[in-house]
Amino acid sequence: MRLNADDLLVNTYGAERIRMVRGKGCTLWDASGKSYLDFFGGIAVNALGYGNKAIAKVAAKQYQKLSHVSNLYTTEPAVRLADAILKHQPIPNRTYERLFFSNSGAEANEAALKFAAICIQKEGNRAPYFASFQNAFHGRTFLTLSLTSQKKYRTMYEGIFPPTLTLPYNDPSALHKKLTPDVGAVIVEVVQGEGGVRSLSSACALLLNRLCNSNNIILIADEVQTGMGRTGTVYASEGARLKPDIITIAKPLGGGLPLAATLVTKRIHTHITPAIHGTTFGGGPVQCAVACEVWARVTAPSFLHSVQHASGILDDALVHLASNCTVIKELRGVGLLRGIQLADDVDVSQVIAQLRTAGLLVIPSGDGVIRLAPPLTIKKADIRNAVDILHAVFRTYKATT
Ligand code: PLP
């Protein structure tokens, strides 16, 4: 009898999903042997693609040497990784002095918010009052969910959240009005990964820097999806000229193993003392050994250059596609995080199912948007094949709006 996920797992992901069995580069194979071009990389996780033998070797070697010791001890891979991450300081006038390892994007943001809460209280006896943006997604723990505005994720839990402020995205006059000294910290995505692939305007990034500075508000950049080369720079904050006090990274860091980091400036770190926060698994030696390899690769200037090059090819191909497919309403995104907004009357989940049948895996983002987040190692031929499949499916739709 074939075991069925639907009979065994809590029903948080809907109907039975395709059972994937192996991957190589940008291609995945399911249990029936059908292959798929993966254009969302395990939700922006698989930066180096599937089946990387060098990474597999690092993981196996470290597992045999030392797998888990808890955070009552430290390990050589964790120290080496922290050093590599903190050596890279690309944001002008911001130095990230320390970092905290955890296991997921939500945990990295939860740590950021808890550290910010401590700092806010210690600095000025203010209550920790947090702000985030419309359509933001920061995770599914209670604190991060309280700052995630999309209704579908939070409606069932309303009433349990602490009071928060939701700011409109890319609205300078609202920022001026609402980002007052009452706000203790604000968390922002430079590109909203789950919220429609909208990018923070440079006017708003600069205004956020200015208002946070003058009102003593802690600025947190959630780079869980955008960090580590996705937008063509190590941090998307670099391109946007955002100057966060705290940066969180996660998805690609562990090369597919769970690992995240919360980077803090001295202002924040000064207030952190033992027992304030912690984790059993965060920063384990196997994840960190793998992450050292991933970090070294994705932060190499030649690698970032290749991401920028691939992103230019993808951009050109999408612009050409949009000129031939009336169903495309708008193109969004930066680097290798792209959004295709379809006409209002189109059922995006149906389009995604058709693309999957045709051998291309993509995911939705917000309302009516198809998100592309392929491995950062994507090749020109894969981009061409993906865009051919998009074209074949999109041309069966006509825009009526
Ligand atoms: N923040 C952002 C910007 C994300 O895109 C995500 C996940 O998609 C998260 C936080 C939550 O990460 P995780 O699912 O690893 O908890």
Side-chain angles (χ1 to χ4, degrees), residues 89-96 223 235 237-238 242-244 247:
Q89 298 280 351
I91 315 269
N93 305 323
R94 283 287 181 280
T95 304
Y96 302 96
E223 295 236 21
Y235 301 111
S237 293
E238 292 171 63
L242 195 71
K243 294 186 177 175
I247 298 182

Side-chain angles (χ1 to χ4, degrees), residues 42-365:
I43 321 190
V45 165
N46 300 318
L48 301 178
Y50 296 99
N52 188 309
K53 288 208 166 84
I55 302 277
K57 232 184 210 171
V58 170
K61 195 169 160 200
Q62 181 58 45
Y63 195 92
Q64 281 163 4
K65 192 172 171 190
L66 185 66
S67 54
H68 171 83
V69 291
S70 90
N71 280 307
L72 296 176
Y73 307 98
T74 189
T75 65
E76 188 266 340
V79 176
R80 204 156 39 90
L81 177 62
D83 181 55
I85 294 174
L86 295 175
K87 268 200 176 118
H88 189 85
Q89 298 280 351
I91 315 269
N93 305 323
R94 283 287 181 280
T95 304
Y96 302 96
E97 292 220 334
R98 302 290 174 99
L99 62 76
F100 175 84
F101 285 127
S102 54
N103 307 290
S104 68
E107 284 184 41
N109 288 336
E110 187 83 6
L113 294 162
K114 285 177 74 178
F115 294 161
I118 291 157
C119 182
I120 294 159
Q121 291 173 98
K122 293 240 175 126
E123 276 181 354
N125 256 340
R126 283 185 294 167
Y129 178 47
F130 298 128
S132 64
F133 288 87
Q134 261 162 20
N135 298 315
F137 185 88
H138 297 300
R140 296 165 193 272
T141 60
F142 266 109
L143 196 48
T144 58
L145 195 56
S146 74
L147 294 156
T148 291
S149 72
Q150 294 181 53
K151 282 203 166 54
K152 67 178 173 195
Y153 300 124
R154 57 179 289 150
T155 304
M156 302 301 286
Y157 309 105
E158 292 293 356
I160 309 175
F161 298 133
T164 60
L165 175 69
T166 304
L167 301 158
Y169 199 63
N170 284 334
D171 183 341
S173 67
L175 280 188
H176 266 298
K177 223 179 286 161
K178 296 187 167 183
L179 216 48
T180 62
D182 293 348
V183 176
V186 58
I187 183 164
V188 64
E189 294 159 273
V190 174
V191 184
Q192 292 187 317
E194 306 288 320
V197 198
R198 293 180 178 85
S199 306
L200 189 68
S201 70
S202 50
C204 276
L206 296 179
L207 188 58
L208 263 177
N209 292 340
R210 190 151 63 76
L211 290 173
C212 286
N213 200 32
S214 56
N215 292 337
N216 211 20
I217 298 167
I218 295 167
L219 179 54
I220 304 169
D222 175 351
E223 295 236 21
V224 164
Q225 189 151 166
T226 55
M228 295 183 66
R230 174 70 43 201
T231 64
T233 48
V234 173
Y235 301 111
S237 293
E238 292 171 63
R241 292 196 285 159
L242 195 71
K243 294 186 177 175
D245 300 290
I246 305 180
I247 298 182
T248 57
I249 53 175
K251 285 180 182 278
L253 182 58
L257 300 178
L259 183 63
T262 304
L263 284 66
V264 297
T265 54
K266 188 174 184 175
R267 172 185 175 191
I268 311 294
H269 178 248
T270 303
H271 302 293
I272 310 299
T273 49
I276 264 173
H277 195 50
T279 159
T280 298
F281 291 106
V286 180
Q287 297 91 299
C288 286
V290 166
C292 284
E293 189 68 29
V294 176
W295 179 267
R297 288 183 188 215
V298 303
T299 58
S302 58
F303 186 92
L304 294 169
H305 189 261
S306 74
V307 173
Q308 290 158 14
H309 182 68
S311 128
I313 294 171
L314 179 60
D315 199 32
D316 290 346
L318 291 177
V319 169
H320 188 254
L321 182 72
S323 68
N324 286 305
C325 299
T326 53
V327 72
I328 298 179
K329 208 171 146 186
E330 193 184 333
L331 296 174
R332 296 185 189 151
V334 189
L336 289 176
L337 180 56
R338 299 280 168 165
I340 304 172
Q341 165 93 63
L342 299 181
D344 296 347
D345 56 343
V346 172
D347 177 352
V348 169
S349 56
Q350 185 187 312
V351 176
I352 289 175
Q354 284 175 284
L355 291 168
R356 190 168 53 237
T357 304
L360 179 67
L361 301 178
V362 296
I363 37 171
S365 173

